[in-house]
Amino acid sequence: MKQGKKYVDSVKLIDSTKAYDSSEALDLVCQTAKAKFDETVELHVRLGVDSRHADQQVRGAVVLPNGTGKTVRTLVFAKGEKIQAAIDAGSDFVADDDTVKKINDGWMDFDVVIATPDMMGVVGRLGRVLGPKGLMPNPKAGTVTMDVTKAVHDIKAGKIEYRLDKTNIIHVPVGKASFTEEQLSDNFQTLIDAIVKARPSTLKGQYLKSVVIAPTMGPGVKINPMKLA
């Protein structure tokens, strides 16, 4: 496949045989983000676990100190006084009687779904729609909670969920290419610390197999995993 000139020029800046220190890698990523839009800086971490085993699942959520650079739209399923709490917290949408039908009919103008535990019976009816898109609320991600105020505030402030895919890789945003090196570094370290802390107790051997960081439209930069664990 033929690559564009900007991509080819970016590749020349990177030594593909080298695993960089995180600070140098982040600097290179910003140099190679040459698209006309503000590219997302993405982190891809391959772990030495087997996601087919329940005791080796790695999943959690963390608030990035400098946010993601993206405006996140929240939808809250709640009852009673929690509805007003969600509105006061600044949620973009609060579910009503028609919301389940709207979603089943294709409405998806939201990025994160939050639900109180007593509403999971309702949300569960949307599993076939929300599940494949990774939008089902989950207690481990803090999106099934009675404290909807905190949940909305955290997500608006830059809370993201990390989880293994079927190939044992975690894909998460670190921020935007327009961020300062310090902002990206703080976000990166916060993510890595959370992933390292989530290491399954039953795992033996190397945990961080490979760590790569890349802009949306640019090449990946390898980071030395041995200096992160």
Side-chain angles (χ1 to χ4, degrees):
M1 185 175 69
K2 186 176 181 180
Q3 302 287 1
K5 183 178 182 301
K6 289 181 180 179
Y7 186 93
V8 172
D9 289 342
S10 293
V11 169
K12 293 177 182 177
L13 297 173
I14 301 167
D15 182 350
S16 62
T17 66
K18 179 179 178 180
Y20 293 87
D21 288 340
S22 58
S23 59
E24 193 175 1
L26 289 167
D27 182 56
L28 279 171
V29 163
C30 291
Q31 291 182 49
T32 58
K34 298 180 178 181
K36 293 181 180 179
F37 62 92
D38 191 7
E39 296 182 58
T40 297
V41 177
E42 303 165 353
L43 176 64
H44 309 277
V45 183
R46 184 166 64 90
L47 301 180
V49 299
D50 187 341
S51 61
R52 294 173 298 178
H53 299 299
D55 63 350
Q56 292 192 31
Q57 288 289 334
V58 177
R59 179 176 187 174
V62 63
V63 178
L64 300 182
N66 299 295
T68 63
K70 177 185 176 182
T71 300
V72 181
R73 301 164 299 176
T74 57
L75 166 63
V76 175
F77 283 82
K79 290 180 180 179
E81 63 182 17
K82 297 300 180 181
I83 293 175
Q84 189 60 48
I87 294 170
D88 292 344
S91 182
D92 300 89
F93 306 102
V94 177
D96 56 26
D97 294 339
D98 297 326
T99 302
V100 171
K101 183 178 185 304
K102 281 172 61 180
I103 293 173
N104 277 323
D105 288 344
W107 178 70
M108 297 293 289
D109 293 341
F110 49 89
D111 305 296
V112 177
V113 180
I114 300 164
T116 53
D118 54 3
M119 289 297 289
M120 283 306 293
V122 175
V123 179
R125 301 205 299 268
L126 295 166
R128 291 183 180 179
V129 179
L130 299 180
K133 296 182 181 295
L135 291 172
M136 274 297 288
N138 185 282
K140 290 185 178 179
T143 47
V144 177
T145 175
M146 289 302 291
D147 193 348
V148 295
T149 299
K150 183 177 187 301
V152 172
H153 285 166
D154 282 351
I155 289 165
K156 294 288 187 181
K159 184 176 184 177
I160 61 166
E161 183 180 0
Y162 59 87
R163 61 186 299 181
L164 283 177
D165 67 10
K166 292 180 180 179
T167 60
N168 302 317
I169 299 176
I170 291 173
H171 308 274
V172 280
V174 175
K176 293 288 186 179
S178 61
F179 281 19
T180 66
E181 186 177 342
E182 183 178 3
Q183 287 175 318
L184 284 175
S185 180
D186 286 347
N187 282 358
F188 172 83
Q189 197 58 55
T190 298
L191 274 167
I192 287 295
D193 288 347
I195 293 170
V196 169
K197 188 176 180 180
R199 174 182 177 134
S201 59
T202 56
L203 178 67
K204 296 180 180 179
Q206 187 176 350
Y207 180 50
L208 300 179
K209 288 287 189 178
S210 70
V211 179
V212 176
I213 199 160
T216 305
M217 303 296 290
V221 182
K222 291 185 287 187
I223 296 176
N224 187 349
M226 303 306 291
K227 293 188 176 182
L228 300 174

